[in-house]
Amino acid sequence: MKKDLIEQLTALKYSGSARVVGLIEKPGPGIHATRLSVDVEAGKGFTGDHPRKDIWRGKRIPGREITMFSAEVAEALSVDPVVIGDNIVSRGLDLSSIEAGDVLRVGEVVLRRSEKAHRPCDLFARRASQDAMEAVRETGTRGALFYVQMGGTICIDDNIKAE
């Protein structure tokens, strides 16, 4: 099973016309609420997210203001991206190609790719599967973490463009 997932993930093709296909706020730990639009604050992330969303093992993780996951990866894993719970679900963008410091404009919002890797964890394995966690770890397709440089509003179908 893991081998099949790895083959599917390495064979993914991205259209190059990147857009937002999902927005997921986290109003409380483990709660994922889909939205048609969200307000985003510089230095914080989605304004509707709970204040401890960027805490991991008791420490704040810098550069985790916004998390992004690819719809293509979710489809290859046969998992609903809402279950995974990243803030933005993109289509047409190979997130593994975005390097630390790269800047994206998403709707009105400007994001800068974090220096931190978006690593799959035990929670990802519980939400998707152990095989899915190992496959995204091996292929580097878990997604990406971002700082918010300029806030604003993001809506479903907004374009995602490199700056």
Side-chain angles (χ1 to χ4, degrees):
M1 174 78 159
K2 180 178 112 178
K3 182 180 175 190
D4 293 339
L5 290 176
I6 291 170
E7 287 175 6
Q8 290 176 46
L9 292 173
T10 56
L12 284 176
K13 302 288 185 228
Y14 298 90
S15 69
S17 177
R19 62 189 176 89
V20 175
V21 296
L23 293 167
I24 303 162
E25 271 186 341
K26 302 173 201 171
I31 301 170
H32 302 161
T34 59
R35 302 289 188 237
L36 296 176
S37 67
V38 293
D39 292 323
V40 181
E41 186 178 321
K44 180 179 186 235
F46 284 17
T47 59
D49 281 350
H50 67 91
R52 296 186 49 83
K53 76 161 192 158
D54 57 354
I55 303 291
W56 179 250
R57 296 187 177 172
K59 295 182 183 177
R60 185 164 305 282
I61 306 297
R64 193 181 163 91
E65 295 165 10
I66 299 280
T67 58
M68 195 179 302
F69 192 58
S70 161
E72 291 89 346
V73 172
E75 290 161 2
L77 299 175
S78 297
V79 64
D80 183 343
V82 175
V83 171
I84 299 301
D86 284 343
N87 293 120
I88 298 173
V89 182
S90 65
R91 180 172 297 285
L93 177 63
D94 179 0
L95 292 169
S96 67
S97 71
I98 301 183
E99 297 182 17
D102 286 354
V103 175
L104 299 178
R105 179 173 293 274
V106 184
E108 299 174 349
V109 175
V110 177
L111 305 176
R112 181 173 47 87
R113 173 70 168 87
S114 172
E115 64 282 354
K116 300 281 186 189
H118 195 12
R119 294 189 178 101
C121 61
D122 291 338
L123 183 57
F124 183 93
R126 288 193 301 274
R127 291 177 176 169
S129 74
Q130 185 68 32
D131 284 342
M133 180 188 77
E134 292 172 11
V136 297
R137 180 183 292 142
E138 191 166 319
T139 59
T141 54
R142 171 59 186 96
L145 304 175
F146 293 90
Y147 293 97
V148 179
Q149 284 195 304
M150 185 178 84
T153 301
I154 299 175
C155 300
I156 294 292
D157 270 342
D158 276 351
N159 290 322
I160 302 172
K161 297 184 181 204
E163 292 265 301

